[in-house]
Structures are given as C-alpha cells and as structure tokens.
Amino acid sequence: MFDTIPRPTDGVSITGPALVGRSAATSETLVLAERAAATDATVLLTGESGSGKRLVARFIQARSARAARPFASVSCAAGRDLLLESECFGHVKGSFSGAHRDAPGQLELADSGTILLDEISCAGVRMQVKLLRFLETGEVQPLGGGRPGRRIDVRVIATTSANLTHLAHSGAFREDLLYRLRVAHIHLPPLRERPEDIEPLIVHTIAKTGRAVQFSEQALARLTSYHWPGNVRELQAVVERLVYMSGASVVEVEHLPEWFRTPGARVVSIVERRRQLSDDLYAGLVARTISFWGELYPLFLARDVTRHDLRQVLQRGLTTTSGSYRALIGLFGMESADYKRFLNFLAAHDCNVDPRPFRKRAAGQRASESVAMALVRDREAAAGRRLERPSAES
C-alpha cells in the first residue's frame, strides 16, 4: 500500500509514497519500481483491481527525474473512441459535435512530465493505433487536425487489470502496442498471495486515521485469513469502517463484518462471479439446459449478461470448435438456419471474437479430434451441472 503523494513544488524534494509490507513480493515490487524510476522507459503495471497500480505509478513519477514536472492521468475506461482520443491528443474546433474551440490534450499538457493511462485494455482500436504512433514518433496529432503533429516529451505509464497477452491473442488488443508498453513490466500480486503484508497494512491504515484503536489477535487472525477479493482497497475500507464505526478502542471478532465472523465463509468477487456466470452459460448451452435464443439472448438484451460475458462464452466455444463459427451453431443447440442470424447478432452488438487464434493447435493436442468428439466431451463434462440463472446483481 502507498501513501498519497503531495504535489511537487519548486525547491521541495518529493520522495513519493512509502511502500508498506514485509513480504518478498512487496520488496520485489519496490526494487522494480526504483529501477523503472531511474529510466524514462515506458512502464506497464498489471494486477487485480485495488492492488495499488495507480499509486505505484505515482511512486515511479515521484522518484524519477520528472518528479517536479507535470503528472497527467487519463482513465481509458471512462471514455470511448473520439472522446478518449480527444482527452489524450486534444482536438481542433469543429472536429466533432460540441468541439466549439481548440483544446490541448493531456499528453500535450504533460509535456516534459509523465502521463498515466489507466486501464489501457479499455482503449478502442482507433485509440490504440494513435497511441502506438505516438510511442514511436513522440508526435501528438489533435483530433481533426490537418497540420503535422507537435513533438513532445512525455513518459507513459499504463495500467491494466486485464490480461493483455490474452487480449492480443484474441485480436482485441494490438500486439505491437503491447510490446511498446511492456518495456518495463511490474506485476502487483493480489493481497491473498502476500498475507504477510496484511497486518502492517492494517497498522498503517489505523495510523492514517489518527485514532487510538487496536485490533485483538483474534480479529487480526480473521482478517489475515480472509482472501480479500478487493485487495488493498477493500482492506483500507474495512479497517477505516471499523475504526470509525465500531465505537471500540480494541476491535474484537464480534465487531467485524459478518463474513469475517463466519469461519470458512468466502465472499466471491465481481470478477469471479462474472467468470462463473460465463462458465455456467457455456455449460448450459452445451448440455441443452438453456437455449441461446430462448434464454441467453433475452438475458443479454436485459443486460443481465454483458458483452464481456458473451465473448467469454464464444471463446470457450471457439476453443472447442477450433475457431469455427459455423460449428458453434450445433454446439450451442441452434438450428443450421440460424447461422446468419447469429453472425448478424454478434456484429450488431460488437460481440465478435477473432477465431484465428483458436485455429492453431497446441503441441500435443490430437489434430484429428473432430468437433463431434469435442461436443460429446463437453456435454459429458457439463452433465449434472445445475445452471444458476444470473440476476441483474451479477
């Protein structure tokens, strides 16, 4: 976990946030961050949501030669297509509806400093192309601009909670951009893989509140054994809640939220629920316990099933059919006449998955295995599994 970095001011030395933890993984993260800070290399920070990627980025900025220079931050998940491009690269008057005047982008505003591109996996194809061109040339071309771009000097730090390698293999993320971003790569392990850090993080969070509150050994043991799906962000929220709202100077087990008081209880994270949902949907389609048009399609239109969920189902299916969309029709229990309707549906809702990576057989796989054999295997694996109908909460 990291403290908040104060704004750099002239004549003030900024050392950055302090890393709290005593695990080997935390020590390694600190060493890699120090090495990255000593260079101008592009940095890719990966890890689950809440693991501290943004604060590691600020740590690198504060320890670098650019510490007193601008630090800009853009969330790629907050905007899509033209709006995200405009925020990063700027725009000229009249380039799109609402562009009433020329405006510089965050890249230009961060000239000589650093820009953080948060959740880079959410950037669209057009944005990926422009970002790749910037990383190669250092030039910023405003949206709608016809003149040559302006060359600037900005260090790029990107973060993502997604697996960019898998996205690149599926065609959703440019492989050449991944190589450009992954010059210095730092992966932040989830908190459940470094339980030695939990107690120091709790002590540090309490100290930041300014309250004289302690946790009993039994309460600390329950918190340490928890799997923390929300990582450090979740831990901070839980500790602050207990400090401010328990009304006790010593927090005991009975003060903890219910899921901590029940031994063996496990709260499933949103990511895990979504993965489980796509697995259940796939199993239900293969086992014929649900139909694509009768149940999955209405759930998608009602937004109980997301575009990401559907793509995961398609990926599972394309793995089975060796990249054949036509074979998905039979695998998912649809009629052969539904083929065009199926493709039109996927195209209309931008749910297509590139089938090419699934046509490459891994070494050791039986090249002669037919789709029919794979279908039988998947049906047998899915037999007996009870599909839980997803709700809007999932």
CSV table of all heavy atoms in Angstrom, one decimal, residues 277 280-306 310 313 332-334 341 345 386-391:
chain,number,residue,atom,x,y,z
A,277,LEU,N,-20.4,-17.0,-14.2
A,277,LEU,CA,-21.6,-16.9,-15.0
A,277,LEU,C,-21.3,-17.3,-16.4
A,277,LEU,O,-22.1,-18.1,-17.0
A,277,LEU,CB,-22.0,-15.4,-15.0
A,277,LEU,CG,-23.2,-15.0,-16.0
A,277,LEU,CD1,-24.4,-15.8,-15.6
A,277,LEU,CD2,-23.4,-13.6,-15.9
A,280,ASP,N,-21.1,-21.1,-16.5
A,280,ASP,CA,-22.4,-21.7,-16.4
A,280,ASP,C,-23.2,-21.6,-17.6
A,280,ASP,O,-23.9,-22.5,-18.0
A,280,ASP,CB,-23.1,-21.1,-15.2
A,280,ASP,CG,-22.6,-21.6,-13.8
A,280,ASP,OD1,-21.8,-22.5,-13.8
A,280,ASP,OD2,-22.9,-20.9,-12.8
A,281,LEU,N,-23.1,-20.4,-18.3
A,281,LEU,CA,-23.8,-20.2,-19.5
A,281,LEU,C,-23.3,-21.2,-20.6
A,281,LEU,O,-24.1,-21.8,-21.3
A,281,LEU,CB,-23.7,-18.8,-20.0
A,281,LEU,CG,-24.4,-17.7,-19.2
A,281,LEU,CD1,-24.0,-16.3,-19.7
A,281,LEU,CD2,-26.0,-17.9,-19.3
A,282,TYR,N,-22.0,-21.3,-20.7
A,282,TYR,CA,-21.5,-22.3,-21.7
A,282,TYR,C,-21.9,-23.7,-21.4
A,282,TYR,O,-22.3,-24.4,-22.3
A,282,TYR,CB,-20.0,-22.2,-21.7
A,282,TYR,CG,-19.3,-23.1,-22.6
A,282,TYR,CD1,-19.2,-22.9,-24.0
A,282,TYR,CD2,-18.8,-24.3,-22.1
A,282,TYR,CE1,-18.6,-23.8,-24.8
A,282,TYR,CE2,-18.2,-25.2,-23.0
A,282,TYR,CZ,-18.1,-25.0,-24.3
A,282,TYR,OH,-17.5,-25.9,-25.2
A,283,ALA,N,-21.8,-24.1,-20.1
A,283,ALA,CA,-22.2,-25.5,-19.7
A,283,ALA,C,-23.7,-25.7,-20.0
A,283,ALA,O,-24.1,-26.8,-20.5
A,283,ALA,CB,-21.9,-25.7,-18.3
A,284,GLY,N,-24.5,-24.7,-19.8
A,284,GLY,CA,-26.0,-24.9,-20.1
A,284,GLY,C,-26.3,-25.0,-21.5
A,284,GLY,O,-27.1,-25.8,-21.9
A,285,LEU,N,-25.6,-24.2,-22.4
A,285,LEU,CA,-25.8,-24.3,-23.8
A,285,LEU,C,-25.4,-25.7,-24.3
A,285,LEU,O,-26.1,-26.3,-25.1
A,285,LEU,CB,-25.0,-23.2,-24.5
A,285,LEU,CG,-25.5,-21.8,-24.3
A,285,LEU,CD1,-24.5,-20.8,-24.9
A,285,LEU,CD2,-26.8,-21.6,-25.0
A,286,VAL,N,-24.2,-26.1,-23.9
A,286,VAL,CA,-23.7,-27.4,-24.4
A,286,VAL,C,-24.6,-28.6,-23.9
A,286,VAL,O,-24.9,-29.5,-24.6
A,286,VAL,CB,-22.2,-27.6,-23.9
A,286,VAL,CG1,-21.8,-29.0,-24.2
A,286,VAL,CG2,-21.3,-26.6,-24.6
A,287,ALA,N,-25.1,-28.5,-22.6
A,287,ALA,CA,-25.9,-29.5,-22.1
A,287,ALA,C,-27.3,-29.4,-22.5
A,287,ALA,O,-28.1,-30.3,-22.1
A,287,ALA,CB,-25.7,-29.5,-20.5
A,288,ARG,N,-27.7,-28.3,-23.2
A,288,ARG,CA,-29.1,-28.1,-23.7
A,288,ARG,C,-30.0,-27.8,-22.5
A,288,ARG,O,-31.2,-28.0,-22.6
A,288,ARG,CB,-29.6,-29.3,-24.5
A,288,ARG,CG,-28.7,-29.7,-25.7
A,288,ARG,CD,-28.7,-28.7,-26.8
A,288,ARG,NE,-28.1,-29.2,-28.0
A,288,ARG,CZ,-26.8,-29.1,-28.3
A,288,ARG,NH1,-26.0,-28.4,-27.4
A,288,ARG,NH2,-26.4,-29.6,-29.4
A,289,THR,N,-29.5,-27.4,-21.4
A,289,THR,CA,-30.4,-27.0,-20.3
A,289,THR,C,-30.9,-25.6,-20.5
A,289,THR,O,-31.9,-25.2,-19.8
A,289,THR,CB,-29.7,-27.1,-18.9
A,289,THR,OG1,-28.5,-26.3,-18.9
A,289,THR,CG2,-29.3,-28.5,-18.7
A,290,ILE,N,-30.2,-24.8,-21.3
A,290,ILE,CA,-30.8,-23.5,-21.7
A,290,ILE,C,-30.6,-23.4,-23.2
A,290,ILE,O,-29.8,-24.1,-23.8
A,290,ILE,CB,-30.1,-22.3,-21.0
A,290,ILE,CG1,-28.6,-22.2,-21.5
A,290,ILE,CG2,-30.2,-22.4,-19.5
A,290,ILE,CD1,-27.9,-21.0,-21.0
A,291,SER,N,-31.4,-22.5,-23.9
A,291,SER,CA,-31.2,-22.3,-25.3
A,291,SER,C,-30.7,-20.9,-25.5
A,291,SER,O,-30.9,-19.9,-24.7
A,291,SER,CB,-32.6,-22.4,-26.0
A,291,SER,OG,-33.4,-21.3,-25.6
A,292,PHE,N,-29.9,-20.7,-26.7
A,292,PHE,CA,-29.3,-19.4,-26.9
A,292,PHE,C,-30.4,-18.4,-27.2
A,292,PHE,O,-30.3,-17.3,-26.5
A,292,PHE,CB,-28.4,-19.6,-28.2
A,292,PHE,CG,-27.6,-18.3,-28.5
A,292,PHE,CD1,-26.3,-18.2,-27.9
A,292,PHE,CD2,-28.1,-17.3,-29.2
A,292,PHE,CE1,-25.6,-17.1,-28.1
A,292,PHE,CE2,-27.4,-16.2,-29.5
A,292,PHE,CZ,-26.1,-16.0,-28.9
A,293,TRP,N,-31.3,-18.6,-28.1
A,293,TRP,CA,-32.3,-17.6,-28.4
A,293,TRP,C,-33.4,-17.5,-27.3
A,293,TRP,O,-34.0,-16.4,-27.1
A,293,TRP,CB,-32.9,-17.9,-29.7
A,293,TRP,CG,-32.0,-17.9,-30.9
A,293,TRP,CD1,-31.6,-19.0,-31.6
A,293,TRP,CD2,-31.2,-16.8,-31.4
A,293,TRP,NE1,-30.6,-18.6,-32.5
A,293,TRP,CE2,-30.4,-17.3,-32.4
A,293,TRP,CE3,-31.1,-15.5,-31.0
A,293,TRP,CZ2,-29.5,-16.5,-33.1
A,293,TRP,CZ3,-30.2,-14.6,-31.7
A,293,TRP,CH2,-29.4,-15.2,-32.8
A,294,GLY,N,-33.7,-18.6,-26.7
A,294,GLY,CA,-34.8,-18.5,-25.7
A,294,GLY,C,-34.4,-17.9,-24.4
A,294,GLY,O,-35.3,-17.3,-23.7
A,295,GLU,N,-33.2,-18.1,-23.9
A,295,GLU,CA,-32.8,-17.6,-22.6
A,295,GLU,C,-31.6,-16.7,-22.6
A,295,GLU,O,-31.6,-15.6,-22.1
A,295,GLU,CB,-32.5,-18.8,-21.7
A,295,GLU,CG,-33.8,-19.6,-21.4
A,295,GLU,CD,-33.5,-20.8,-20.5
A,295,GLU,OE1,-33.5,-20.6,-19.3
A,295,GLU,OE2,-33.4,-21.9,-21.0
A,296,LEU,N,-30.5,-17.1,-23.3
A,296,LEU,CA,-29.3,-16.2,-23.2
A,296,LEU,C,-29.5,-14.9,-23.9
A,296,LEU,O,-29.1,-13.9,-23.4
A,296,LEU,CB,-28.1,-17.0,-23.8
A,296,LEU,CG,-26.7,-16.4,-23.6
A,296,LEU,CD1,-25.6,-17.4,-23.6
A,296,LEU,CD2,-26.4,-15.3,-24.6
A,297,TYR,N,-30.1,-15.0,-25.1
A,297,TYR,CA,-30.4,-13.8,-25.9
A,297,TYR,C,-31.3,-12.7,-25.1
A,297,TYR,O,-30.9,-11.6,-25.0
A,297,TYR,CB,-31.1,-14.2,-27.2
A,297,TYR,CG,-31.5,-13.0,-28.1
A,297,TYR,CD1,-30.6,-12.2,-28.7
A,297,TYR,CD2,-32.9,-12.7,-28.3
A,297,TYR,CE1,-31.0,-11.2,-29.5
A,297,TYR,CE2,-33.3,-11.7,-29.1
A,297,TYR,CZ,-32.3,-10.9,-29.7
A,297,TYR,OH,-32.7,-9.9,-30.5
A,298,PRO,N,-32.4,-13.1,-24.5
A,298,PRO,CA,-33.1,-12.2,-23.7
A,298,PRO,C,-32.3,-11.6,-22.5
A,298,PRO,O,-32.5,-10.5,-22.1
A,298,PRO,CB,-34.4,-13.0,-23.2
A,298,PRO,CG,-34.5,-14.1,-24.2
A,298,PRO,CD,-33.1,-14.4,-24.6
A,299,LEU,N,-31.5,-12.5,-21.9
A,299,LEU,CA,-30.7,-12.0,-20.7
A,299,LEU,C,-29.7,-10.9,-21.2
A,299,LEU,O,-29.4,-10.0,-20.5
A,299,LEU,CB,-29.9,-13.2,-20.1
A,299,LEU,CG,-30.8,-14.2,-19.3
A,299,LEU,CD1,-29.9,-15.4,-18.9
A,299,LEU,CD2,-31.3,-13.5,-18.0
A,300,PHE,N,-29.2,-11.1,-22.4
A,300,PHE,CA,-28.2,-10.1,-23.0
A,300,PHE,C,-28.9,-8.8,-23.2
A,300,PHE,O,-28.4,-7.7,-22.9
A,300,PHE,CB,-27.6,-10.7,-24.2
A,300,PHE,CG,-26.6,-9.7,-24.9
A,300,PHE,CD1,-25.3,-9.6,-24.5
A,300,PHE,CD2,-27.1,-8.9,-25.9
A,300,PHE,CE1,-24.4,-8.7,-25.1
A,300,PHE,CE2,-26.2,-8.0,-26.5
A,300,PHE,CZ,-24.9,-7.9,-26.1
A,301,LEU,N,-30.1,-8.9,-23.8
A,301,LEU,CA,-30.9,-7.7,-24.1
A,301,LEU,C,-31.3,-6.9,-22.8
A,301,LEU,O,-31.3,-5.7,-22.8
A,301,LEU,CB,-32.1,-8.0,-25.0
A,301,LEU,CG,-31.8,-8.5,-26.4
A,301,LEU,CD1,-33.2,-8.7,-27.1
A,301,LEU,CD2,-30.9,-7.6,-27.2
A,302,ALA,N,-31.5,-7.7,-21.8
A,302,ALA,CA,-31.9,-7.1,-20.5
A,302,ALA,C,-30.6,-6.7,-19.7
A,302,ALA,O,-30.7,-6.1,-18.6
A,302,ALA,CB,-32.7,-8.1,-19.7
A,303,ARG,N,-29.4,-6.9,-20.2
A,303,ARG,CA,-28.1,-6.5,-19.6
A,303,ARG,C,-27.8,-7.3,-18.4
A,303,ARG,O,-26.9,-6.9,-17.6
A,303,ARG,CB,-28.1,-5.0,-19.3
A,303,ARG,CG,-28.3,-4.1,-20.6
A,303,ARG,CD,-28.1,-2.7,-20.2
A,303,ARG,NE,-28.3,-1.8,-21.4
A,303,ARG,CZ,-28.2,-0.5,-21.4
A,303,ARG,NH1,-28.0,0.1,-20.3
A,303,ARG,NH2,-28.4,0.2,-22.6
A,304,ASP,N,-28.5,-8.4,-18.2
A,304,ASP,CA,-28.1,-9.3,-17.1
A,304,ASP,C,-26.8,-10.1,-17.5
A,304,ASP,O,-26.1,-10.6,-16.7
A,304,ASP,CB,-29.2,-10.3,-16.8
A,304,ASP,CG,-30.4,-9.6,-16.1
A,304,ASP,OD1,-30.2,-8.6,-15.5
A,304,ASP,OD2,-31.5,-10.1,-16.3
A,305,VAL,N,-26.7,-10.3,-18.8
A,305,VAL,CA,-25.4,-10.9,-19.4
A,305,VAL,C,-24.8,-9.8,-20.2
A,305,VAL,O,-25.4,-9.1,-21.0
A,305,VAL,CB,-25.8,-12.0,-20.3
A,305,VAL,CG1,-24.5,-12.5,-21.1
A,305,VAL,CG2,-26.3,-13.2,-19.5
A,306,THR,N,-23.5,-9.5,-19.9
A,306,THR,CA,-22.8,-8.4,-20.5
A,306,THR,C,-22.1,-8.9,-21.8
A,306,THR,O,-22.0,-10.1,-22.1
A,306,THR,CB,-21.7,-7.8,-19.6
A,306,THR,OG1,-20.7,-8.8,-19.4
A,306,THR,CG2,-22.3,-7.5,-18.2
A,310,LEU,N,-20.6,-12.7,-22.9
A,310,LEU,CA,-20.9,-13.4,-24.1
A,310,LEU,C,-19.6,-13.7,-24.9
A,310,LEU,O,-19.5,-14.8,-25.4
A,310,LEU,CB,-21.8,-12.5,-25.0
A,310,LEU,CG,-22.3,-13.2,-26.3
A,310,LEU,CD1,-23.0,-14.5,-26.0
A,310,LEU,CD2,-23.3,-12.2,-27.0
A,313,VAL,N,-18.1,-16.7,-23.4
A,313,VAL,CA,-18.8,-18.0,-23.8
A,313,VAL,C,-18.4,-18.3,-25.3
A,313,VAL,O,-18.1,-19.5,-25.5
A,313,VAL,CB,-20.3,-17.7,-23.8
A,313,VAL,CG1,-21.1,-18.9,-24.4
A,313,VAL,CG2,-20.8,-17.5,-22.4
A,332,PHE,N,-24.0,-25.0,-29.7
A,332,PHE,CA,-24.9,-24.3,-28.8
A,332,PHE,C,-26.4,-24.6,-29.0
A,332,PHE,O,-27.3,-24.0,-28.4
A,332,PHE,CB,-24.8,-22.8,-29.0
A,332,PHE,CG,-23.4,-22.2,-28.5
A,332,PHE,CD1,-23.0,-21.0,-28.9
A,332,PHE,CD2,-22.6,-23.0,-27.6
A,332,PHE,CE1,-21.8,-20.5,-28.4
A,332,PHE,CE2,-21.4,-22.5,-27.2
A,332,PHE,CZ,-21.0,-21.2,-27.6
A,333,GLY,N,-26.7,-25.7,-29.7
A,333,GLY,CA,-28.0,-26.2,-29.9
A,333,GLY,C,-28.9,-25.4,-30.8
A,333,GLY,O,-30.2,-25.5,-30.7
A,334,MET,N,-28.4,-24.6,-31.7
A,334,MET,CA,-29.2,-23.8,-32.6
A,334,MET,C,-29.4,-24.6,-33.9
A,334,MET,O,-28.6,-25.5,-34.2
A,334,MET,CB,-28.5,-22.5,-32.9
A,334,MET,CG,-28.5,-21.5,-31.7
A,334,MET,SD,-27.8,-19.9,-32.1
A,334,MET,CE,-26.0,-20.3,-31.9
A,341,ARG,N,-28.3,-15.3,-38.8
A,341,ARG,CA,-28.9,-14.5,-37.7
A,341,ARG,C,-27.9,-14.4,-36.5
A,341,ARG,O,-27.8,-13.3,-35.9
A,341,ARG,CB,-30.2,-15.2,-37.2
A,341,ARG,CG,-30.9,-14.5,-36.1
A,341,ARG,CD,-32.0,-15.3,-35.5
A,341,ARG,NE,-32.6,-14.7,-34.4
A,341,ARG,CZ,-33.5,-15.2,-33.5
A,341,ARG,NH1,-33.8,-16.5,-33.7
A,341,ARG,NH2,-34.0,-14.6,-32.5
A,345,PHE,N,-26.3,-10.9,-35.2
A,345,PHE,CA,-26.5,-10.5,-33.8
A,345,PHE,C,-25.1,-10.1,-33.2
A,345,PHE,O,-25.0,-9.1,-32.5
A,345,PHE,CB,-27.1,-11.7,-33.1
A,345,PHE,CG,-27.0,-11.6,-31.6
A,345,PHE,CD1,-27.6,-10.6,-30.8
A,345,PHE,CD2,-26.1,-12.4,-30.9
A,345,PHE,CE1,-27.5,-10.5,-29.5
A,345,PHE,CE2,-25.9,-12.4,-29.5
A,345,PHE,CZ,-26.6,-11.4,-28.8
A,386,ARG,N,-25.9,-27.9,-12.5
A,386,ARG,CA,-27.1,-27.1,-12.4
A,386,ARG,C,-26.8,-25.6,-12.7
A,386,ARG,O,-26.0,-25.0,-12.1
A,386,ARG,CB,-27.7,-27.2,-11.0
A,386,ARG,CG,-29.0,-26.4,-10.8
A,386,ARG,CD,-29.5,-26.6,-9.4
A,386,ARG,NE,-30.7,-25.8,-9.2
A,386,ARG,CZ,-30.7,-24.6,-8.7
A,386,ARG,NH1,-29.6,-24.0,-8.5
A,386,ARG,NH2,-31.8,-23.9,-8.6
A,387,LEU,N,-27.5,-25.1,-13.8
A,387,LEU,CA,-27.3,-23.7,-14.2
A,387,LEU,C,-28.1,-22.8,-13.3
A,387,LEU,O,-29.3,-22.9,-13.1
A,387,LEU,CB,-27.7,-23.5,-15.6
A,387,LEU,CG,-27.6,-22.1,-16.1
A,387,LEU,CD1,-26.1,-21.7,-16.2
A,387,LEU,CD2,-28.3,-22.0,-17.5
A,388,GLU,N,-27.3,-21.9,-12.6
A,388,GLU,CA,-28.0,-20.9,-11.8
A,388,GLU,C,-28.3,-19.7,-12.7
A,388,GLU,O,-27.4,-19.1,-13.3
A,388,GLU,CB,-27.1,-20.4,-10.7
A,388,GLU,CG,-26.7,-21.5,-9.7
A,388,GLU,CD,-25.8,-21.0,-8.6
A,388,GLU,OE1,-25.5,-19.8,-8.6
A,388,GLU,OE2,-25.5,-21.9,-7.7
A,389,ARG,N,-29.6,-19.3,-12.8
A,389,ARG,CA,-30.0,-18.2,-13.7
A,389,ARG,C,-29.4,-17.0,-13.1
A,389,ARG,O,-29.6,-16.6,-12.0
A,389,ARG,CB,-31.5,-18.1,-13.7
A,389,ARG,CG,-32.0,-17.1,-14.7
A,389,ARG,CD,-33.5,-17.1,-14.6
A,389,ARG,NE,-34.0,-16.2,-15.7
A,389,ARG,CZ,-34.4,-16.5,-16.9
A,389,ARG,NH1,-34.2,-17.8,-17.2
A,389,ARG,NH2,-34.8,-15.7,-17.7
A,390,PRO,N,-28.6,-16.2,-14.0
A,390,PRO,CA,-28.0,-15.0,-13.5
A,390,PRO,C,-29.0,-13.9,-13.2
A,390,PRO,O,-30.1,-13.8,-13.9
A,390,PRO,CB,-27.1,-14.6,-14.7
A,390,PRO,CG,-27.7,-15.3,-15.9
A,390,PRO,CD,-28.3,-16.5,-15.4
A,391,SER,N,-28.7,-13.1,-12.3
A,391,SER,CA,-29.6,-11.9,-11.9
A,391,SER,C,-28.9,-10.6,-12.3
A,391,SER,O,-27.7,-10.6,-12.6
A,391,SER,CB,-29.9,-12.0,-10.4
A,391,SER,OG,-28.7,-11.7,-9.7
